[in-house]
Structures are given as C-alpha cells and as structure tokens.
Amino acid sequence: MAAGLVSSPVAGGGGPRLLVRLRRALRVRHYSRRTEQAYVGWVRRYVRFCGLRHPAELGERDVERFLTSLAVERGVSGSTQNQAFAALLFLYDAVLGRPLGSCTGLIRAKGTVRVPVVLSRAEVGAILAEMRGVPALVAALLYGSGLRLLEALQLRVKDIDFERREIIVRSGKGDRDRRTMLPEVLMGPLGRQLDARRIEHEADRRSGAGRVALPLGLARKLPGASGEWAWQWVFGAMREHKSEGTGERRRHHLHETVVQRAFREALRRTGIPKRATCHTLRHSFATHLLEDGYNIRAVQELLGHRDVSTTMIYTHILNRDGRGVRSPMDRLVTPGPQTTLRGPLPPNRRLRSPPIPPV
C-alpha cells in the first residue's frame, strides 16, 4: 500500500510515477546504484512519516520534522541524517523542480569522527588462512591491492594486466578510474581463476548464453561486446539470469554477500576480538603501507581518494602515531617480571607492575 502511494504520480498530473522520475534523474546524472538505492529508500521513509502524502504537497517544515525525528527519536548518526537530507534536497531540486529553502528549525545529529578498525599483519594472515576458494582470493585482493569489495567483484578480464602487474579499477567511487598494484603472490591464483572462468564462458557460449551487462551506453555502441571474453567478470556468479530489457541469458558477478559471509565466518574461527569487515582489509592495506614508509601521496593514489586529508586518517592509527613519538613511560620503566625504573634505585623505590584486573 505504502509503496503504491509513494510511487503515485505528481499531484495534478498523469506523468511518470515519482520513484520512476527519481531513478531517472539519478541515472542521467550518473549517480551510483548504491546512491540510487539509498535515496529511494529515504524518500519512501519520508512519505510514510508524513502520512503517505505526496512530497509535492509537503515543504520545508515537513522536511525539518522528519530529519529532527531521525536525530531525536531514532538517534541516528550525523552522517546518516546528512544522507537523508541530501536525498530530499535532490528530490525537491532535481525531480519536483522546487528547491528547498532554509531549514532553520532542523536539529542535526552530532557528527562523529571514528578511527577505522585495522588488523595486524598476523591477524590478516590468520583470517585469510581460514578462507577457501573464490572468497579467499577476493579477500586477498582487498588486502593486497586496496580494493573496495564491489571494485574487486566488478573486475573484468581486460582490467587485469599481468605484464605490468597492475589492476585497473573502472568507475570506482565518485565514478573515477585508477590503477593499483597486482601482488606478485596472487598472480598464480588469479591466473587459475581466469582459466576456470574461460572454460565456464565457453560452455555458456555453446548453450546460447555467455553475455554480461555492459556499462552506460556501451551496449548500443558495441552490441557484441557483452559476449566477448575481455568483458567477462573475473568473479562470475554461479547462476545465470535473464535480462529484464532484452531477455538475454546473462551471468552477473559474484554477489558481495558471498564474500562477506565467508569473511565473518573466518573471523569467528580465528577468535580475533575486533569488529572487522571486508572493508577492514582495505584499511589494513593503507596502514601497513604507511608503516613500511611509503609516501602518503602514493597511498592516496592507490586508494583512489580525492583528497589527501581522507588518507591522513591512517597516520593516526600507526604504531608510532605517524610522528615517531614514543611514550615517556616506555623510557621511564623497564619492562620485565618486576617492572623497575631505569638506573640504580633503593629497594624501597622499586616499581611493580599494576595488578591485572579480573575479566
């Protein structure tokens, strides 16, 4: 019921439904599918909050009430509230043609800056050792090349350059391309994965399938490219599907939940007490490169950050805090069974290690 009302035509007209217009406006501006899903979800919640009234009948005060309720009643983070605000700004500006004025009564959630979770090298090795098959290879690429999960799963055969030992990331975050390293230790496993995919692709072609979705307008410019080997996914899904538009039998790339489940299970088996995810491997990649002394600008390019300030957050989680600083306590106290100050001290001045509190 709610979905139908949310998708109803704009009041007073019989044009396309609202969410169809919203999706069209996002796609013509080349927003990512993830952003599209998020914006559509926030518009649905907004309409439900306002009693299923059409957004064209609502205004700034309704937007204020909705966003304030997110902060006060639901306690969302500042970034979540800002995403909802951005979705509604886009809706009124790009879809309804009525930009929002100033929302002076808006109560914003308090913004927070959090340090990312980072795994040690030993912890990364322990997790990867617990993974098997394609998910293990994908996870190794996340750590070895600094890829985001979807960037790894959306790699195509033509994006792997074994001679130059590099990976080309196409249309990454912000719709930007970049190059990153291909670890030498992964060249063998990745080559075997491509051999297996080649056999699978040839079997698909013989059965009348073997096609994949192409980006943007390439399907019109290169109508036969979707069946070519160079455009196939490196990590293909197990099953085929039929394209809604053409009815072609296609193979999607491996779904991200397959790797996420395998990573969570491996983390559980290792017993590592950290709230780590697949994205933690990318954080660990950046941190370990900085620990090895690589220039932060080089790390910025490998990660695909637009601004170096985004990369700077990893300097705050290095063992030496990015500045070579050592705690004065480490210079004062000599670690050992009976912790003592450096230099000769009378027996009654010996320092003992504090007792370990019970867990």
Side-chain angles (χ1 to χ4, degrees):
M1 176 180 177
L5 290 175
V6 171
S7 303
S8 61
V10 176
R17 295 177 181 273
L18 179 65
L19 294 187
V20 173
R21 297 173 62 200
L22 176 61
R23 289 190 175 97
R24 286 178 180 174
L26 288 163
R27 292 179 185 181
V28 78
R29 291 165 175 79
H30 302 298
Y31 280 68
S32 71
R33 288 301 177 93
R34 287 294 183 89
T35 302
E36 177 184 322
Q37 293 169 1
Y39 279 22
V40 168
W42 283 119
V43 171
R44 288 181 183 275
R45 294 185 187 96
Y46 171 58
V47 174
R48 291 193 184 103
F49 176 83
C50 296
L52 303 182
R53 295 171 61 195
H54 196 280
E57 304 170 1
L58 306 171
E60 286 81 358
R61 301 287 80 81
D62 301 291
V63 172
E64 287 178 9
R65 289 192 303 108
F66 173 63
L67 297 176
T68 298
S69 73
L70 292 179
V72 176
E73 298 172 13
R74 297 187 57 186
V76 302
S77 67
S79 59
T80 300
Q81 190 192 42
N82 287 335
Q83 185 189 64
F85 194 18
L88 298 181
L89 285 174
F90 184 89
L91 171 70
Y92 279 94
D93 186 14
V95 180
L96 298 180
R98 198 189 83 198
L100 288 174
S102 60
C103 295
T104 56
L106 174 62
I107 298 177
R108 289 187 174 275
K110 184 179 179 181
T112 55
V113 178
R114 304 194 182 279
V115 174
V117 176
V118 171
L119 298 166
S120 70
R121 300 168 198 262
E123 289 170 337
V124 171
I127 293 173
L128 294 180
E130 291 291 337
M131 301 180 71
R132 297 291 183 273
V134 173
L137 180 54
V138 174
L141 276 175
L142 302 187
Y143 175 68
S145 304
L147 301 177
R148 299 177 179 91
L149 179 55
L150 271 180
E151 290 175 346
L153 296 178
Q154 292 176 349
L155 286 175
R156 298 178 189 265
V157 174
K158 65 183 183 59
D159 299 329
I160 309 294
D161 191 333
F162 286 96
E163 289 190 8
R164 296 176 61 91
R165 296 184 183 179
E166 67 179 18
I167 295 173
I168 303 175
V169 179
R170 304 287 185 183
S171 299
K173 189 173 182 180
D175 199 23
R176 298 191 302 276
D177 294 355
R178 74 177 190 277
R179 284 182 167 85
T180 187
M181 64 186 72
L182 171 59
E184 184 176 355
V185 71
L186 296 182
M187 292 179 65
L190 197 54
R192 291 190 291 272
Q193 169 64 18
L194 290 178
D195 291 340
R197 282 288 295 119
R198 186 66 178 262
I199 295 172
E200 185 178 56
H201 174 62
E202 294 298 334
D204 289 344
R205 291 295 301 271
R206 288 193 295 270
S207 67
R211 295 183 176 273
V212 294
L214 294 179
L216 303 178
L218 280 177
R220 293 190 300 272
K221 296 178 182 178
L222 305 171
S226 63
E228 295 177 2
W229 167 239
W231 288 94
Q232 301 302 303
W233 306 113
V234 175
F235 303 105
M238 295 294 293
R239 299 185 181 91
E240 297 175 349
H241 72 283
K242 282 192 175 182
S243 170
E244 295 180 1
T246 64
E248 290 179 337
R249 289 167 54 196
R250 294 178 176 176
R251 189 176 294 275
H252 197 53
H253 61 71
L254 188 68
H255 199 272
E256 56 264 37
T257 55
V258 176
V259 184
Q260 290 167 341
R261 284 196 298 265
F263 182 88
R264 284 197 301 269
E265 181 60 24
L267 179 67
R268 184 192 63 80
R269 287 197 296 268
T270 61
I272 297 172
K274 290 184 178 180
R275 191 183 176 188
T277 65
C278 291
H279 202 68
T280 305
L281 295 172
R282 174 175 159 91
H283 293 322
S284 304
F285 164 85
T287 305
H288 296 166
L289 283 181
L290 291 173
E291 285 179 346
D292 290 340
Y294 288 99
N295 185 278
I296 193 169
R297 293 287 183 179
V299 177
Q300 175 194 356
E301 292 182 7
L302 292 172
L303 293 173
H305 288 162
R306 189 188 299 271
D307 196 293
V308 72
S309 62
T310 307
T311 318
M312 285 291 292
I313 192 172
Y314 298 110
T315 65
H316 301 306
I317 50 181
L318 297 177
N319 291 336
R320 55 183 182 275
D321 197 27
R323 296 180 296 273
V325 177
R326 186 182 182 191
S327 171
M329 190 65 180
D330 288 333
R331 298 184 181 277
L332 179 70
V333 177
T334 303
Q338 186 178 22
T339 302
T340 61
L341 291 175
R342 293 181 182 275
L345 282 176
N348 61 342
R349 295 292 305 279
R350 298 176 74 84
L351 294 180
R352 297 182 180 275
S353 301
I356 300 175
V359 178

